[in-house]
Amino acid sequence: MTDRTVAQYVAIEPQPGSGIIHPFPTPDIPHLDPFVFLDTGAPSQLGTGSIHVAPHPHRGVQPVSLVFRAEIEHRDSLGNHVTVSSGGMQWLVAGSGALHEEVLRGDAEGVFHMAQLWVNVHSEDKMSPPRHHAVAADDVPVLDLADGASVRLFAGELAGAAGPAPLGTPVLIAHVALDAGAEVRIPAPRGWTTAVCVVAGEVGTGERDGLVPGATAVLADDGDAVAIRSTDGGEALFLAGQPIGEPIVMGGGFVVTDDRALAEAFADLEAGLFGELEASR
């Protein structure tokens, strides 16, 4: 395998107070087709508190919650109410539109660490019926691809295993945890958008070393693998996906292809076509 080099490197400062890291969309990285939004952060101590994300709408996109160490309680206008804990995942295939609410909590030790990633869909799928999926940690493969490296495979195929998220859009999404001195190589198909976002400790990839949370390395399409390593120990979110190559217009939780479709989404929301969901608090 030939290792990819770094084409673009961006460092984002965590937001004051919340510690949230928002790599994209930003002026530096408008999107990483087919990925259009990412919020994450380093592990934090939430104690017995919680974070309430009030009911809000989505259309034309798949918001995916990757739970590294935390607990997420999800409710939506489709009638789903489910809690997913550390190592699991949940995602809303928003389709033509749905409302959802999330309550975020720490794990048994109060540690909060997760990511929310929006995965785009082709235009012909944007108005499909909405649905929700949840997967427990035991159903997410954890691969030992190298000494001191643990790869939790949320979506895609790797080393004969398949992630549990049938996202429709061809992707590979994994949480990579490295002991000090460990290195792992993950295949990345030619032509796929590929990035490494550091979420804990210290990580290196391509020609870059010493990357800390807030750093995202976008890899060039000049190889068929990505080497991820750590001198002192660290964790990274690995993203690879086949670009959709369609226009992206975002607003209000909607991801569509033009301004007219965005206006229609707001009108449909106002008309009550996304269903109803009362806030739990």
Side-chain angles (χ1 to χ4, degrees):
M1 292 188 292
T2 302
D3 292 341
R4 292 189 181 210
T5 60
V6 175
Q8 183 181 12
Y9 164 74
V10 177
I12 301 294
E13 289 294 323
Q15 296 178 8
S18 69
I20 291 174
I21 297 168
H22 180 64
F24 59 90
T26 64
D28 291 320
I29 306 179
H31 56 79
L32 291 173
D33 187 13
F35 310 108
V36 296
F37 176 99
L38 176 62
D39 266 355
T40 187
S44 61
Q45 180 54 244
L46 195 57
T48 59
S50 63
I51 301 168
H52 178 228
V53 183
H56 58 283
H58 288 289
R59 169 178 282 181
V61 70
Q62 301 177 91
V64 181
S65 297
L66 308 173
V67 189
F68 306 144
R69 288 187 63 183
E71 180 180 277
I72 179 169
E73 180 183 1
H74 166 97
R75 295 171 58 248
D76 61 41
S77 57
L78 308 176
N80 298 295
H81 186 181
V82 64
T83 298
V84 176
S85 301
S86 301
M89 68 181 301
Q90 64 92 27
W91 69 101
L92 177 68
V93 182
S96 59
L99 307 171
H100 75 151
E101 174 195 66
E102 296 155 307
V103 179
L104 314 176
R105 304 182 181 91
D107 65 5
E109 298 176 352
V111 176
F112 178 76
H113 193 206
M114 63 171 290
Q116 184 168 97
L117 174 70
W118 295 8
V119 182
N120 201 9
V121 298
H122 284 271
S123 55
E124 63 263 27
D125 298 322
K126 288 188 178 293
M127 294 298 287
S128 62
R131 56 197 186 277
H132 176 263
H133 304 276
V135 177
D138 289 346
D139 295 320
V140 180
V142 179
L143 310 178
D144 296 321
L145 301 183
D147 290 343
S150 175
V151 179
R152 182 170 289 272
L153 181 62
F154 288 109
E157 298 182 356
L158 181 62
L167 292 170
T169 306
V171 296
L172 198 163
I173 302 171
H175 176 219
V176 180
L178 300 169
D179 294 341
E183 180 174 12
V184 66
R185 281 180 170 79
I186 300 178
R190 297 272 187 169
W192 282 31
T193 303
T194 307
V196 173
C197 178
V198 182
V199 296
E202 165 273 325
V203 170
T205 189
E207 313 79 38
R208 292 275 187 169
D209 284 299
L211 305 180
V212 297
T216 297
V218 182
L219 285 304
D221 190 14
D222 57 358
D224 54 8
V226 176
I228 306 175
R229 57 191 177 271
S230 181
T231 300
D232 300 322
E235 301 174 27
L237 179 62
F238 176 84
L239 304 174
Q242 185 177 69
I244 293 174
E246 296 179 345
I248 295 172
V249 177
M250 299 175 61
F254 311 134
V255 180
V256 291
T257 57
D258 56 43
D259 291 337
R260 178 178 178 180
L262 185 61
E264 289 175 349
F266 280 107
D268 289 348
L269 175 65
E270 184 67 22
L273 300 185
F274 285 54
E276 297 182 357
L277 183 64
E278 293 292 333
S280 62
R281 59 181 65 187

